[in-house]
Amino acid sequence: MSEARGPESSVEPIAVERGASLWRDALVRLRKNHLAAAGLVALFALLVVSLLTPWIAPYGYEDQDLALGAVPPSGAHWFGTDLLGRDLFTRVLYGGRISLLVGFAATGVSLCVGVLYGACAGYLGGRTDALMMRFVDILYSLPFVIFVIILTVYFGRNIVLLFMAIGAVEWLTMARIVRGQVMSLRQKEFIEATTVMGLPRHRVLLWHLIPNTLGPIIVYATLTVPRVMLMEAFLSYLGLGVQAPMSSWGLLINEGVQTMENRPWMLIFPSLALSITLFSLNFLGDGLRDALDVRASKD
Amino acid sequence: MSRPRSDWQRVAALVVCVAAAVAFGGCGARETRAGKASVEGVLLVGNGAEPQELDPHLVSGVPEHRVLSALFEGLVDLDPATLEPIPGTAERWTVSPDGLVYTFYLRDGAQWSNGDPVTAQDFLYAWERILTPTLASEYASMLHCVANARAFNTGEIKDFSQVGVKALDDSTIEVRLEQPTPYFLSLHVHYTWYPVPRKVIEALGGMTARNTKWTQPEHMVSNGAFKLAQWEPDKVIRVEKNPHYWNAAAVRLQGIAFYPIEDAMTEDRTFRTGGLHLTENVPLPKIEMYQKEQFPFLHIDPYLGTYYYRINTTEPPFDDARVRRAFALSLDRDTLVAQVVNAGRQPAAHYVPPDTGGYTSNARMPYDVEQARRLLAEAGYPGGQGFPKVELLYNTSDDHKRIAEAVQQMWNQALGVEVQLLNQDWKVYLNSMNTLNYDIARSGWIGDYSDPYNFLECFLSGNGNNRTGYASDQYDRLVRKGASIMYKTGRLATYQQAEDILLADAPIIPVYFYTRPYLLSPDVKNWQPNHLGYISWKTLYVEPPPEQAR
């Protein structure tokens, strides 16, 4: 364990090994992984920029100048303009707000619901487990698009609904993954020890089982974010998601693809923004998985 | 735990993979779907949208027209090059000197695709069916030029024998018109005039049952050069050569496959990867690029049609003509068309396309924001205050969306009103318009024949293609009067007055006059473009390029 210690550990007394918490260990290991750290910084920067968009955007996202049309990047329009003469830099900024919001909110929903549901099913086992997982199977069999269309018919089209709809579908796979993990962990000695110690069930679940499944959860979550962002683009294309003139990265890319031969900037900039986000998420997810892998470090 | 490879190794591996995929995806000569079809003599056509139906009496769109014109044949056909009438199922016809009575003589060999002879009764049955009020055909007005047809269609008379059509014997039909109609013969290439298989329809629900199974491949019987072989909704409609067609020997195509590709980008890609011979459309941004590159497969034909927005005049705030005019006046067509639409299209400041049967409207819908604001204020919404949120409906397409977004913003800037965009699938969209379940809807009208009446009659009150709830006695009177005037100058002058009223009342907002851009494979031979977009499938053929034909 000595080589994994942070610099402050060198001043500690030698004989007693201080019980470093999981999170502390993880943070130290994450800091050592430069790609992951860079990912974290980039994501944080994107988040800040998104929050400040209304103040830093040079134009309005709906301001069009038809006479101008699509012009390549210049001093006045850093990313150029789209076919309706709207400033692309502004639209990428505003689009990022939507995309990040949808990506993180929907992933958050799926994370909360999926992890709790899967962990309960896996831990309780037996008939409860069978019942809960059959319910997941039933939800799986509902076609996603039809599900969303039904929701929009009843509740009208708005962005909150979009989170709900996407989150409501995305937690299913998460639940399955967590259930599998928990089922294998349940047999381990440390869980048996908690039973011996007489810990209440919810405590076992929340403090001992779920933290041990964090690795796969985080990896899967980082994969969910990009998928959700692309799903949002698809739904918006069908007219069920973001309403024009508001835009999102997915929609901007879709527009850009149509005219990429003539106006590459309309594709490059939104794609770049999406790629940076996805790369950051992937590196961060990778780093987090290594950092949080308790079983790899505690032996 | 094994040591993971370094991050840079992973990044490098990714780059290599992507590069390899790009390199291998781009090369390799493989046989394309269209190439194979050319050898087999099958034409692959992009058809825009999934047809609403294949019942000629229950449809009103262009995608349906393409399929139906391959399946059925009317009494008269058109020469695709000159658009002059040529014999179809009728071998010849005579016209009375006053231009009111047409007598058609069916040809001997005319047969349905099951081998039954096509008789005069089949035509009468079809015409009775489309005119029957309970069938509620949207397009029945195409037959209103026949004596008493309108009265029968509106339920004023109940007895079909009073309508001016008569079978003199099994192969002779006499049609008596309400008034001389110079374009009468060219109506017969339109699906509303096609015969329908009486026996099949009667066996599967009867004359006035809508949406029965008779249009399914296993039941459908048709009299045209092709018969329906396969209909997979949202995937493909296949027709194959009809061996019982009277002129089957001259039909060179073995079949046609119609692909309902709504997304113009997908269609474009399908064409370029060899999946189609003919596209329905070309995406606007691509047209520009193809023109610059002088892409040899791009064709842009003149097309007799108008792209416009229709307004639901039955609900507030659009029941007020001032509000409608305000919207129409604040649409900057010139800039919109020049920047967003292009493709040789002209901004439409009036409704009937220029030079339709020698008629060009004098009325104009100007671009005048000042007046628009004033009208909106008079209607009780100064600066757009208190104006409800309205929806702009279009059928799913990137091009419609782009135009709608630009217009949305124009209205927002000029009038201060908030417009939301709403897109729907073709069938849902048609249904929304038919049931007046919209505020403003993107729409278009493609001429069926070259006469202003074809455009103007759409907005007669109660017409199935009206779809705006617009009803003006004065307009109705003028259009009908125009149609009844024998001499051309008088007729056209009356149409001028009618169009003046239409533009003043503004149930529609004209946007641009169509052109017809499409991609056509050089394998397709005997292609004859015309401004009605009429395709004579039976004279076309496909031929693989020489080096491929073994």
Side-chain angles (χ1 to χ4, degrees), chain B residues 241-492:
Chain B
K241 191 173 167 177
N242 174 7
H244 291 287
Y245 178 59
W246 62 269
N247 201 11
V251 178
R252 293 179 67 178
L253 283 179
Q254 293 307 309
I256 310 170
F258 296 92
Y259 294 93
I261 310 177
E262 285 202 5
D263 180 29
M265 288 303 288
T266 313
E267 193 187 39
D268 175 77
R269 215 153 37 227
T270 314
F271 179 87
R272 287 195 304 170
T273 52
L276 289 176
H277 285 120
L278 170 66
T279 68
E280 200 253 347
N281 200 352
V282 185
L284 296 177
K286 292 276 178 183
I287 293 177
E288 202 185 340
M289 186 190 81
Y290 288 151
Q291 280 175 327
K292 211 173 351 176
E293 286 180 356
Q294 303 188 322
F295 188 59
F297 308 141
L298 174 72
H299 296 245
I300 297 182
D301 290 348
Y303 201 22
L304 190 70
T306 311
Y307 184 106
Y308 57 87
Y309 287 122
R310 57 173 87 228
I311 303 177
N312 180 0
T313 63
T314 60
E315 303 275 343
F318 291 117
D319 53 351
D320 187 334
R322 289 173 300 191
V323 177
R324 299 196 298 264
R325 264 190 82 77
F327 274 68
L329 286 167
S330 51
L331 199 153
D332 182 2
R333 294 166 188 79
D334 292 347
T335 321
L336 181 72
V337 171
Q339 293 295 330
V340 186
V341 181
N342 52 46
R345 287 161 179 169
Q346 292 304 314
H350 51 100
Y351 169 51
V352 181
D355 201 26
T356 302
Y359 167 89
T360 304
S361 168
N362 296 327
R364 289 288 180 277
M365 176 62 73
Y367 171 55
D368 186 345
V369 177
E370 285 313 306
Q371 200 195 339
R373 285 186 183 136
R374 206 163 52 238
L375 283 169
L376 197 68
E378 278 172 27
Y381 309 101
Q385 272 175 355
F387 199 83
K389 211 182 263 184
V390 294
E391 274 183 340
L392 173 55
L393 171 71
Y394 57 95
N395 52 314
T396 309
S397 137
D398 284 316
D399 292 347
H400 296 329
K401 181 180 178 210
R402 193 168 301 121
I403 295 168
E405 270 190 52
V407 171
Q408 173 190 38
Q409 195 54 26
M410 283 178 189
W411 283 334
N412 183 277
Q413 273 171 1
L415 304 175
V417 297
E418 195 176 332
V419 181
Q420 280 193 317
L421 304 190
L422 173 66
N423 60 325
Q424 290 176 345
D425 180 66
W426 178 248
K427 286 186 193 184
V428 186
Y429 153 85
L430 285 179
N431 190 43
S432 299
M433 288 209 298
N434 284 335
T435 54
L436 290 178
N437 183 17
Y438 70 93
D439 298 323
I440 304 177
R442 170 267 140 191
S443 215
W445 187 257
I446 307 298
D448 300 306
Y449 48 89
S450 195
D451 190 280
Y453 184 73
N454 182 230
F455 284 83
L456 295 172
E457 73 157 346
C458 291
F459 296 100
L460 292 176
S461 40
N463 186 294
N465 286 315
N466 182 315
R467 297 187 180 117
T468 58
Y470 175 68
S472 157
D473 290 342
Q474 208 188 353
Y475 178 77
D476 292 0
R477 204 164 38 75
L478 282 167
V479 173
R480 296 224 163 89
K481 184 176 153 209
S484 70
I485 297 176
M486 293 277 288
Y487 58 101
K488 195 172 172 182
T489 45
R491 193 168 72 234
L492 299 189

Side-chain angles (χ1 to χ4, degrees), chain A residues 5 11 13 17-18 24 53 60 62 76 79 82 94 100 121 126 133 147 177 188 202 223 243 254 273 290 293:
Chain A
R5 279 216 188 122
V11 295
E17 184 178 326
R18 212 186 70 170
R24 197 181 166 78
T53 294
E62 79 281 21
F79 289 3
D82 71 2
Y94 275 97
L100 291 173
M133 293 325 281
F147 182 62
I177 291 174
K188 291 263 171 2
H202 68 267
L223 295 177
Q243 298 301 309
N254 183 39
D290 292 345
D293 194 343

Side-chain angles (χ1 to χ4, degrees), chain A residues 65-82:
Chain A
D65 184 352
L66 281 183
L68 180 70
V71 295
S74 64
H77 301 281
W78 295 350
F79 289 3
T81 59
D82 71 2

Side-chain angles (χ1 to χ4, degrees), chain B residues 22-30:
Chain B
V22 169
F24 289 114
C27 67
R30 53 186 185 276

